[in-house]
Amino acid sequence: MGNKNKTISFRVNEDAFETLREIAEERDISLSAVFRDYVDTLVAHDGQVQVVPEHELEQLRNGEDESFPPKVKVPKSFVREHERLELEAEHLREQLEEHKQYVNYLREQLEDENEEVIQLEDLDASEADEPSFRLG
């Protein structure tokens, strides 16, 4: 069974709505995408999401000794989907190559057959040389 998209509907006050709209405009995404991003984050972290003001986040980052390159936990579903898409892309590239080879084969066949084609202009020219007969 595939995942079906579901609709969530709720009300917010006008100030919160305007703030959310500004966030969406800053990110150059739709208002719906703001909510989808939040829901995806919430689901990916099993509901354990904490909102931290930016200045506190900077303090946390400066206090930690982060290793390089940075490490990020990615949900297994994301990794599986990425691998599936890579395999599909590889398969499509192989199909494209096969189609290109087939098109080249057909072009070669067409070029070989062009030598045997009688052009209509040639037929018209040869008929003009011959007398026409009318039954009358």
Side-chain angles (χ1 to χ4, degrees):
M1 289 201 150
N3 286 337
K4 293 184 179 181
N5 290 329
K6 300 291 183 182
T7 301
I8 299 173
S9 177
F10 57 93
R11 297 189 179 278
V12 295
N13 67 39
E14 192 171 336
D15 292 336
F17 181 80
E18 290 303 320
T19 302
L20 288 169
R21 181 181 285 166
E22 290 171 9
I23 291 170
E25 287 176 4
E26 282 177 21
R27 293 183 182 179
D28 196 26
I29 58 176
S30 70
L31 194 56
S32 297
V34 171
F35 286 106
R36 281 192 299 270
D37 287 349
Y38 177 73
V39 169
D40 290 344
T41 303
L42 192 63
V43 170
H45 295 93
D46 294 324
Q48 301 297 314
V49 177
Q50 181 180 3
V51 178
V52 179
E54 285 186 27
H55 69 279
E56 288 181 25
L57 184 61
E58 289 299 322
Q59 289 173 353
L60 289 172
R61 286 185 181 158
N62 292 337
E64 293 177 10
D65 186 23
E66 292 184 21
S67 63
F68 188 82
K71 295 180 177 116
V72 178
K73 287 187 177 181
V74 179
K76 287 182 183 179
S77 61
F78 178 84
V79 174
R80 280 190 230 112
E81 180 67 9
H82 182 72
E83 290 172 346
R84 185 190 68 77
L85 290 172
E86 282 182 340
L87 288 172
E88 186 176 347
E90 182 180 338
H91 174 70
L92 290 173
R93 281 191 284 277
E94 290 171 359
Q95 279 188 324
L96 178 61
E97 192 58 38
E98 289 175 13
H99 286 291
K100 284 180 180 179
Q101 290 174 356
Y102 184 64
V103 167
N104 288 336
Y105 168 76
L106 291 176
R107 282 187 180 142
E108 290 173 5
Q109 292 280 326
L110 185 61
E111 288 173 7
D112 292 344
E113 290 178 7
N114 276 345
E115 296 171 5
E116 300 172 9
V117 173
I118 298 174
Q119 300 294 326
L120 290 176
E121 295 85 17
D122 296 341
L123 287 176
D124 290 342
S126 66
E127 287 180 8
D129 296 339
E130 297 177 11
S132 61
F133 297 99
R134 285 190 166 171
L135 298 174

